[in-house]
Amino acid sequence: MQARLLLEDGTLFTGKAFGSEGESTGEVVFNTGITGYQEVLSDPSYCGQIVTMTYPLIGNYGITRDDFEFIRPFIHGFVVRQHEEAPSNWRAQYTLDSLMKEYGIIGISEVDTRMLTRLIRRHGTLKGILTTSGKSVEELKEQLDAMVVMNDQVDRVSTKRRYHLPGPGESVVVVDFGSKDGIARDLSKRGFDVIVVPHDTTAEQIRRIHPDGIILSNGPGNPKDVPHAIEMIRSLLGEYPIFGICLGHQLFALASGADTAKMKFGHRGGNHPVKDLATNRCYITSQNHGYTVVADSLKGTELEVTHINNNDGTVEGIKHTKYPAFSVQYHPEAAPGPFDSSYLFDDFQSMIHQFKQSLPNIPQQSKMLAAAKSRAEAKGE
């Protein structure tokens, strides 16, 4: 069966269909990973997007349930150069094609993904429509012109109810903006008692849980589309140690008075070099984001840059100069990608220990009140 991908600039790609039949629209982006297509498919941060894989052979090692990063995929389409229909892997439980049919994802293969990637790099992220129908190009263009970029991705992918992953150690609330399972896995490895809560959980509801720390997870879309989360973070700054990841990093920056902006084509892949400004060490990181913290907007805030991207100089990490809070734009839980940055979860655990020791003889409620008072005094309230 034939499939077609039409971009908003009028470029038409024709190839072979795989996965589900039908029609789908979304932002067309590219990922530079050589492996990890299953983790890419199941990453909720791709909600509403049509993903192009730059590596030419996809599907060769099949699909394994254990490698899912979320309970189901939310991407709107998959574009590859060559789709392998007969995977070779002793762990494989079924094929890429069968996974995509199960979740209604349209795929297109046998297209020039190099050309498509170069178009996106030149023009920036483009809207696209992927179809297996026989509609005319004119009809597809009309649908594409009428397409509105989604602004409710976080609500679509976030958990709807709180759940608990028991552990013997410190209690950590993970605010789920589209959290990958890798975050929970890394926290559980360190013995954390993990409570995952919906994206619209209020500051007061988190206070009632009495956590030792807070993780702001990754997620899809524009951080400014979740203003309630910005207010929640602003309210809790200084009361608990906070660690933001990807979208959580951007929300932490906005809550602290900085700004964010849409990137031309974003960072997506498992090979992005990031420099730690404190040590001058370079880490190879896993990334998936289309927005960034604006470096100039950090002036006048209580934030400082800790990491930058070696390729384009964008902000990759920040920390608060007064409160126990930091964040990174990349994914320390990897999946897919290198494990260079997993130490950040250890840093977060150390931050929690230090914070608890700073007020050793004061009950938790008094600690929170003291921190809130300190924050108000710092703001001159």
Side-chain angles (χ1 to χ4, degrees):
M1 179 183 294
Q2 187 184 84
R4 290 174 296 162
L5 172 66
L6 178 67
L7 303 181
E8 64 177 299
D9 70 345
T11 305
L12 178 67
F13 293 86
T14 301
K16 183 179 178 181
F18 68 102
S20 184
E21 298 178 26
E23 205 161 82
S24 185
T25 59
E27 288 188 309
V28 183
V29 300
F30 64 88
N31 183 291
T32 57
I34 295 175
T35 61
Y37 57 79
Q38 180 176 337
E39 292 90 336
V40 169
L41 278 166
S42 58
D43 182 349
S45 295
Y46 283 112
C47 178
Q49 296 180 327
I50 297 172
V51 181
T52 304
M53 300 299 293
T54 62
Y55 189 71
L57 178 61
I58 301 297
N60 53 314
Y61 55 84
I63 297 293
T64 306
R65 274 289 173 186
D66 290 345
D67 293 338
F68 270 51
E69 279 300 301
F70 204 66
I71 193 169
R72 57 151 297 159
F74 281 93
I75 73 167
H76 280 198
F78 210 38
V79 184
V80 304
R81 177 69 186 91
Q82 180 181 343
H83 164 235
E84 178 54 62
E85 299 179 15
S88 176
N89 177 8
W90 67 271
R91 296 177 68 239
Q93 295 169 309
Y94 43 99
T95 65
L96 174 61
D97 181 67
S98 59
L99 171 77
M100 293 174 60
K101 280 185 168 70
E102 179 180 353
Y103 291 104
I105 302 167
I106 306 169
I108 182 172
S109 65
E110 300 183 8
V111 299
D112 189 342
T113 51
R114 178 177 173 82
M115 174 187 172
L116 176 54
T117 300
R118 288 170 65 88
L119 274 172
I120 296 170
R121 285 183 60 86
R122 186 181 309 123
H123 299 294
T125 301
L126 295 164
K127 294 190 295 184
I129 183 166
L130 182 57
T131 182
T132 60
S133 74
K135 291 181 180 178
S136 68
V137 173
E138 289 72 23
E139 289 177 293
L140 296 175
K141 185 69 167 61
E142 287 180 10
Q143 287 181 244
L144 195 53
D145 290 341
M147 171 188 160
V148 177
V149 176
M150 298 164 58
N151 62 5
D152 63 343
Q153 294 104 313
V154 168
D155 186 59
R156 291 179 183 230
V157 302
S158 175
T159 183
K160 303 306 178 188
R161 62 181 64 183
R162 181 198 306 184
Y163 61 93
H164 184 203
L165 304 172
E170 296 88 357
S171 171
V172 172
V173 163
V174 177
V175 186
D176 178 14
F177 302 111
S179 181
K180 292 164 64 180
D181 287 350
I183 293 175
R185 285 195 299 268
D186 267 302
L187 293 173
S188 295
K189 284 179 187 176
R190 290 158 176 80
F192 282 112
D193 188 57
V194 181
I195 303 99
V196 183
V197 300
H199 71 96
D200 53 359
T201 302
T202 66
E204 188 53 41
Q205 288 171 328
I206 291 176
R207 289 187 182 104
R208 287 200 289 268
I209 297 172
H210 300 299
D212 294 305
I214 299 170
I215 295 275
L216 308 172
S217 86
N218 65 288
N222 185 343
K224 293 176 183 177
D225 288 337
V226 279
H228 54 275
I230 299 169
E231 289 303 314
M232 176 271 291
I233 298 164
R234 185 178 293 131
S235 177
L236 295 176
L237 270 174
E239 293 185 29
Y240 307 95
I242 293 176
F243 177 19
I245 297 172
C246 200
L247 180 65
H249 158 81
Q250 298 159 10
L251 292 168
F252 168 55
L254 290 169
S256 302
D259 195 14
T260 58
K262 188 173 177 62
M263 304 177 76
K264 185 175 181 181
F265 49 81
H267 296 156
R268 297 174 180 88
N271 53 359
H272 291 265
V274 167
K275 181 180 179 180
D276 184 333
L277 297 181
T279 64
N280 270 344
R281 180 173 177 177
C282 181
Y283 297 93
I284 302 302
T285 67
S286 174
Q287 302 202 13
N288 174 17
H289 61 100
Y291 289 81
T292 185
V293 173
V294 179
D296 288 344
S297 73
L298 298 172
K299 298 173 183 177
T301 71
E302 295 174 333
L303 300 174
E304 69 177 29
V305 178
T306 57
H307 299 75
I308 60 169
N309 189 288
N310 276 21
N311 287 334
D312 59 15
T314 53
V315 176
E316 291 282 0
I318 54 177
K319 71 175 182 179
H320 205 285
T321 57
K322 290 189 177 181
Y323 304 135
F326 72 100
S327 64
V328 291
Q329 182 62 81
Y330 48 96
H331 288 264
E333 81 285 355
F339 298 103
D340 294 29
S341 304
S342 61
Y343 73 91
L344 291 168
F345 290 103
D346 298 322
D347 288 354
F348 178 57
Q349 194 165 40
S350 297
M351 176 183 283
I352 289 175
H353 293 164
Q354 293 167 11
F355 182 74
K356 292 172 73 175
Q357 291 169 6
S358 67
L359 297 170
N361 300 315
I362 302 177
Q364 180 69 18
Q365 188 66 25
S366 298
K367 288 182 186 180
M368 292 190 293
L369 291 172
K373 181 179 178 181
S374 174
R375 187 178 68 252
E377 289 174 350
K379 294 179 179 178
E381 296 174 357

